[in-house]
Amino acid sequence: RTISHFTANIGPRFSASIVPKLTIDRSILHVERETSSAVCMRTSSGDAIDHDTVKHLTAVFREQFVPAPGEAVILCAALAESGHRNVQPGVPVIQHILGLDTVEQRMSFFDDYASLLIRAVVPPMLHNGLAFEAHPQNTLVRINSSTRTVSGFVMRDLGGLRVHAPTLRSSTGVPFEFLPEHCVITGSLEEASKKLYHTLIFNHLQRLARALGLHYNGAGWAIVRKHLEKEIPRSSWLWKVWMD
């Protein structure tokens, strides 16, 4: 993949200064910190390299999450896959692995999953003005190997954030600076929340609800609304944007 110099610049600084200050439940959400980065901006003769080329000359070093004993970590994008050997056609891999053979079992799993995921990523949006890019390629789910229940999530890749900088600075007390023209900066909280809505609701939960057969009957969306109503105060700006 390509990595912009913006991502190389923000990751290690953000990991060290901002991640420890975010309003998150750390028993549910672990953010993989980016410890260092390297980027080549000039040739050996000192000439500037154009940004499209720089994207191919950049590296980010990430601190990988280490699961606890008895815990499995799965890339969320894999949960909805189907077509595996010895699995019935159309049956998603998560249904096969966990034995979610009845509608009630699938609803119970989705209920736990949506509850913890919303509790993990909505508070930093609500309180810090920060939207994680919470689509299933950037998110890993932690599952207890014994009980086969969801225990939490891991978020990775800080290059796709959206941030309302004044709210982030005032809520964390950190005078964090971004490079000029960095695409993660938004002009309002509402604009930042579009990123989280698209990745969390439309992309992540919608895909899993469809895979589990909970989309067309509305059951999955009733669960999502239930947990959003628990997490978002009715008097908040986010309620007005998402729930009104």
Side-chain angles (χ1 to χ4, degrees):
R1 59 161 295 181
T2 58
I3 305 172
S4 72
H5 69 286
F6 291 107
T7 297
N9 175 271
I10 192 177
R13 296 189 302 115
F14 194 91
S15 296
S17 302
I18 298 297
V19 170
K21 302 282 188 178
L22 291 177
T23 305
I24 58 177
D25 185 337
R26 297 174 199 280
S27 68
I28 296 174
L29 179 64
H30 175 86
V31 180
E32 286 192 342
R33 302 188 189 194
E34 296 173 2
T35 57
S36 55
S37 62
V39 57
C40 181
M41 300 288 289
R42 294 185 177 275
T43 66
S44 58
S45 60
D47 297 327
I49 303 174
D50 69 272
H51 290 175
D52 284 337
T53 302
V54 167
K55 290 179 180 180
H56 297 271
L57 305 172
T58 305
V60 172
F61 297 86
R62 182 186 296 150
E63 194 174 66
Q64 188 172 356
F65 174 76
V66 178
E71 185 177 62
V73 177
I74 305 172
L75 182 67
C76 294
L79 302 181
E81 289 182 352
S82 60
H84 291 255
R85 184 181 299 172
N86 300 323
V87 180
Q88 284 185 313
V91 174
V93 65
I94 191 61
Q95 179 178 332
H96 172 70
I97 290 174
L98 298 187
L100 307 176
D101 298 322
T102 67
V103 173
E104 290 74 21
Q105 288 172 323
R106 293 194 290 273
M107 284 186 63
S108 178
F109 173 80
F110 188 76
D111 190 34
D112 292 341
Y113 188 102
S115 173
L116 287 179
L117 183 57
I118 288 169
R119 287 167 57 194
V121 299
V122 167
M125 180 75 266
L126 183 63
H127 301 291
N128 306 123
L130 182 142
F132 282 109
E133 192 176 28
H135 59 59
Q137 183 183 337
N138 280 358
T139 314
L140 298 92
V141 60
R142 297 155 50 195
I143 294 183
N144 185 297
S145 302
S146 299
T147 63
R148 297 195 169 193
T149 56
V150 179
S151 54
F153 290 89
V154 178
M155 193 63 58
R156 64 184 188 180
D157 193 350
L158 301 176
L161 301 172
R162 288 296 182 273
V163 178
H164 183 241
T167 301
L168 182 73
R169 292 176 184 133
S170 63
S171 64
T172 62
V174 179
F176 193 85
E177 295 297 330
F178 299 85
L179 287 179
E181 301 180 5
H182 196 170
C183 67
V184 303
I185 300 300
T186 65
S188 67
L189 288 166
E190 291 79 8
E191 185 182 347
S193 73
K194 291 180 183 179
K195 181 74 164 192
L196 186 60
Y197 185 88
H198 176 74
T199 57
L200 170 66
I201 307 297
F202 180 74
N203 193 304
H204 194 146
L205 291 173
Q206 182 258 151
R207 185 168 183 261
L208 186 58
R210 282 180 180 270
L212 295 174
L214 305 175
H215 172 70
Y216 288 112
N217 63 10
W221 296 114
I223 289 171
V224 171
R225 281 193 298 271
K226 176 182 70 174
H227 293 300
L228 288 175
E229 288 172 355
K230 288 180 181 178
E231 198 61 43
I232 304 174
R234 288 178 177 267
S235 59
S236 69
W237 67 271
L238 190 56
W239 182 277
K240 295 176 183 177
V241 175
W242 280 10
M243 309 300 287
D244 270 356

